[in-house]
Amino acid sequence: MKQSYNVAVVGATGAVGNEMITVLEGRNFPVKELRLLASANSAGKKLEYQRKDIVVQELTEKSFEGIEIALFSAGGDRSKQFAPAAVKAGAVVIDNSSAFRMDKDVPLVVPEVNAHAIARHKGIIANPNCSTIQMVVALDPLHRKAKIKRIVVSTYQSVAGAGQKGIDELANQIKALFSFQTAEKKMFPHQIAFNCIPQIDVFEPDGYTKEELKMVNETRKIMEDQSILVSPTAVRVPIFMSHSESVNVEFENDLSPEDAREILRNSPGVIVQDDPGKSVYPLAMNAAGEDAVFVGRIRRDNSVKHGLNLWIVSDNIRKGAALNAVQIAERLIGHS
Ligand code: 3JN
């Protein structure tokens, strides 16, 4: 194993890019050089890493000389344009966009579930969608025990999923409305303040949004089981950070809530918070800034033979994006 690595963060000034820098530092990732890349607009900005300022450079095809690991979070179009140049320069790309997720030559990895897939990479490893990540971290251990037939999931997704601009839009709308002004909207199709919007990303002809279809296809790929049925509804809620999910699971075999709790207590990356009598269950505001996927409200679905209901919450910028990407990098270099 090498001592340290030249790492690039592509999209360094965005919400996820920023968090990637924080996570690299917080987890003592063995960084030799940290190169921060972003669009021409952001070039020249300074970002702090290990108490030193690093000047952000403009992302070009020549940005990757000497880079060994490139963490991309700059949108699918930039990934498609620049990831090949990074790979050509000898880097392994860990890409947070959907650009390569369903490509058969690209492993789609949640380390707690399918770290073994990393070894099959051909230069690019994909980081799944945030809503998928937290769901599979919680459900894969239960699948191994009782085999999942069908998942019905409704998400309650924070505005952070739409990046810093999404966070700013909710804050600005709240401020405007409390000052008796009109709430301007740019990022979301409707006012998000004091509202819930059952649309994340665009609709496909079958009536599902792209966000929902990602949950179907990515879950099957990561859990390596094409027979799992997933029925999703993705909803944007006026929450700044963390995604919550109401998840109904039908299993092939019986699994009691007690056994599910015990399995999840011993599962990597999961924290069980489940004491309804004391109003203990996962909350978006408590998950923000944390690494874990929190699971609670575990109870039987009495309407089917082998069913459970769960409530799953995680910080979508951290485990849903930046942390998962850095964990992939750690496994790649054999650091964890
Ligand atoms: O809105 C959310 O909460 C998650 C959004 C994720 C997202 C937004 C724009 C483009 C993605 C993603 O990670 O799937 C993409 C994309 O890469 O397609």
Side-chain angles (χ1 to χ4, degrees), residues 76 96-98 101 129-130 157-158 161-162 200 211 214 236 243:
N96 192 47
S97 82
S98 63
R101 284 182 194 148
N129 174 268
C130 42
Q157 297 183 220
S158 71
I200 297 181
E211 182 79 0
K214 285 171 190 170
R236 184 77 67 201
H243 289 357

Side-chain angles (χ1 to χ4, degrees), residues 73-77 79 95-101 127-132 155-163 188 199-201 210-211 214 218 234-236 243 316-317 320-321:
S73 189
D77 290 345
S79 295
D95 181 39
N96 192 47
S97 82
S98 63
F100 306 107
R101 284 182 194 148
N127 206 40
N129 174 268
C130 42
S131 300
T132 309
T155 69
Y156 303 64
Q157 297 183 220
S158 71
V159 294
F188 303 113
Q199 177 188 352
I200 297 181
D201 210 331
K210 274 194 173 172
E211 182 79 0
K214 285 171 190 170
E218 295 180 17
V235 181
R236 184 77 67 201
H243 289 357
N316 54 301
I317 298 295

